Amino acid sequence: MSIINLYQLPWTSDVQIGQAFPESALVASPNAEQARVISLQEQRLEQSLRIISQVVNAKVHINYPFFSKDAANRFTSDHVGVIIIHKGNIDESVFISQVKSLIKNSISNIRYENISVVLFAVPAIQYVPPPPKCVLSSSRFGKVR
């Protein structure tokens, strides 16, 4: 049970583009569509980060732009936060640099310095063998051996 809790299992199923934007669905507004696209980007980046062997779990947060009816006043997402729970020893500076490069090359209009990556190490799972079994004698009130 501790392994399930430690690794936050089961994970939610991965969302595919067809599920996020079914052909039969109507889009409520351009802002709603943009919010769904950003959410899908977050999920896809999380999926990509989780395939790295040291990554136990990852969350990506792309800031949502200021929504305005005036297209000229719309700002693009310009900050990304990444939380990674990892196992084992890693070179944090190299790892953070690689994650930031992945994010930078996955999202347009993001500056490298506007990507924050926070790492948390998961404690090693320690196995404790069960205590030895007590064997009772055949007598109902016999001695414990």
Side-chain angles (χ1 to χ4, degrees):
M1 196 64 165
S2 64
I3 293 173
I4 291 171
N5 292 333
L6 188 65
Y7 286 91
Q8 299 172 6
L9 298 174
W11 287 335
T12 57
S13 60
D14 295 337
V15 176
Q16 302 299 323
I17 192 81
Q19 294 169 314
F21 299 101
E23 290 179 22
S24 62
L26 296 175
V27 177
S29 70
N31 290 345
E33 182 177 355
Q34 187 174 12
R36 286 172 36 182
V37 167
I38 291 171
S39 177
L40 188 60
Q41 283 180 310
E42 291 171 337
Q43 292 177 51
R44 298 295 288 181
L45 286 166
E46 290 168 4
Q47 292 168 16
S48 296
L49 290 168
R50 283 196 309 258
I51 64 172
I52 300 170
S53 62
Q54 295 92 346
V55 174
V56 173
N57 204 353
K59 292 292 180 188
V60 176
H61 302 278
I62 302 171
N63 77 312
Y64 286 72
F66 172 74
F67 294 122
S68 169
K69 292 181 181 179
D70 181 12
N73 287 333
R74 281 200 187 159
F75 300 109
T76 59
S77 299
D78 59 358
H79 290 87
V80 176
V82 181
I83 300 169
I84 295 179
I85 300 171
H86 69 89
K87 63 183 177 182
N89 295 326
I90 60 171
D91 182 339
E92 289 187 3
S93 61
V94 171
F95 191 76
I96 288 172
S97 176
Q98 291 172 334
V99 169
K100 288 175 87 168
S101 292
L102 172 70
I103 301 296
K104 168 79 177 99
N105 293 320
S106 299
I107 303 172
S108 60
N109 300 324
I110 296 291
R111 295 176 51 188
Y112 188 84
E113 57 271 10
N114 289 344
I115 302 169
S116 299
V117 178
V118 182
L119 303 177
F120 295 95
V122 69
I125 297 172
Q126 297 180 355
Y127 174 74
V128 177
K133 291 183 179 181
C134 290
V135 179
L136 298 175
S137 69
S138 61
S139 163
R140 184 171 184 183
F141 298 104
K143 297 180 183 178
V144 175
R145 307 188 255 164

